[in-house]
Amino acid sequence: NQTRKILLAALSVVALSACSNMSAQQKNMSIGAAVGGVAGAVLTGGSSIGTVGGAVVGGVIGNQVKR
């Protein structure tokens, strides 16, 4: 469990550092996918299908948001 947390933190740092050259639409898509994945996991009790489904739906919604 501790290893998983460390790996997740390291992955988050790498992922966030890669966002500096992204367009606004790409950032919105990434944020939408992350939020959707978390929401899908919460709503389905941690189901892999729910997590992936939430990430896909969130990414699509984030991709369509215009700022």
Side-chain angles (χ1 to χ4, degrees):
N1 194 13
Q2 183 68 17
T3 304
R4 188 175 182 181
K5 288 180 183 178
I6 292 171
L7 181 62
L8 182 61
L11 183 61
S12 296
V13 169
V14 171
L16 290 175
S17 67
C19 291
S20 63
N21 295 331
M22 294 172 72
S23 69
Q25 187 176 22
Q26 291 170 326
K27 288 179 185 177
N28 290 341
M29 184 174 66
S30 299
I31 292 168
V35 171
V38 170
V42 169
L43 292 173
T44 62
S47 163
S48 298
I49 300 290
T51 303
V52 171
V56 169
V57 171
V60 169
I61 292 171
N63 186 42
Q64 298 303 312
V65 171
K66 308 286 187 221
R67 280 197 208 181

